[in-house]
Amino acid sequence: MYYIDCFIAFSNSYFRPILILISSVFAIFFASKKIGNNITVNYSISYEGFSAGSIKELVLSNKKDKPVSIFSIYALFENDLALEVKKLSPPVILKPYETVSIFPDKYSELSVDGDEFNDMLNNIKFVIDSADGLIPCKKSIKKESMSHYRTITKNTYLYNGFVYNESVRFILDYVFEGDKKTAFITKSGYIGNEWGFFSQSLRFA
């Protein structure tokens, strides 16, 4: 019994403070995920022939373990100009760790005090009007780049909605029981795709 009491006293003296410290660190870490807001934004701008340059798409990512209600999204220019990019009614609820795409409404032109404004590419900052007030958004930065990879090009050969490759030598369109069919004949003579007959191959001379 004496040794057990000594072991308990030793554990309380040395291990308990360590356990309390570790528990406190985890508690602070998880609490930090729910305190404040951290929303990142990525966006693209489009220019069309008959309208002004506009923000085509906004991608918002919630980095916190708490939902955010979005009533409006504003773009800020030159620190004193604000453009309501999108008014959301009903508001969009951005769930914890969720990413959503927002597509702003198109417009013909922008103006400030009667003067045309067309400075969509310079130093745009975004803020969200939420139940917690205005939330500044951080620009999303991709940590990895694909620039050091060589690009694989996709080539698609399409006929009547069917994708085929260079193994196809002939394409046969035919009508069977009132339905239009498309069969592919390969270089080896195999007949496939929409071909439901017994013979599955041809022999080329």
Side-chain angles (χ1 to χ4, degrees), residues 100-196:
V100 298
S101 291
I102 303 294
F103 297 92
D105 300 324
K106 293 183 178 181
Y107 47 81
S108 298
E109 61 182 14
L110 298 174
S111 62
V112 178
D113 297 330
D115 298 324
E116 182 180 0
F117 178 80
N118 192 17
D119 196 18
M120 295 298 294
L121 288 177
N122 293 329
N123 300 322
I124 306 179
K125 297 180 181 179
F126 292 93
V127 295
I128 290 175
D129 184 9
S130 73
D132 296 332
L134 296 179
I135 303 174
C137 297
K138 300 177 182 178
K139 187 175 180 181
S140 177
I141 299 176
K142 293 184 178 180
K143 296 182 179 180
E144 298 181 0
S145 174
M146 298 295 293
S147 60
H148 62 285
Y149 291 97
R150 289 184 297 156
T151 302
I152 299 175
T153 302
K154 292 185 292 185
N155 297 317
T156 303
Y157 307 112
L158 196 66
Y159 185 84
N160 283 350
F162 298 104
V163 177
Y164 65 96
N165 59 21
E166 293 182 351
S167 68
V168 174
R169 183 173 181 180
F170 299 104
I171 298 177
L172 175 64
D173 285 332
Y174 67 99
V175 176
F176 180 71
E177 294 182 348
D179 296 327
K180 185 177 180 181
K181 305 287 186 178
T182 300
F184 293 147
I185 305 173
T186 67
K187 296 176 182 178
S188 63
Y190 172 76
I191 309 175
N193 199 46
E194 291 187 314
W195 184 256

Side-chain angles (χ1 to χ4, degrees), residues 41-57:
V41 61
N42 200 356
Y43 65 93
S44 59
I45 295 178
S46 67
Y47 288 89
E48 299 181 1
F50 301 100
S51 61
S54 60
I55 299 170
K56 181 180 180 180
E57 180 184 9

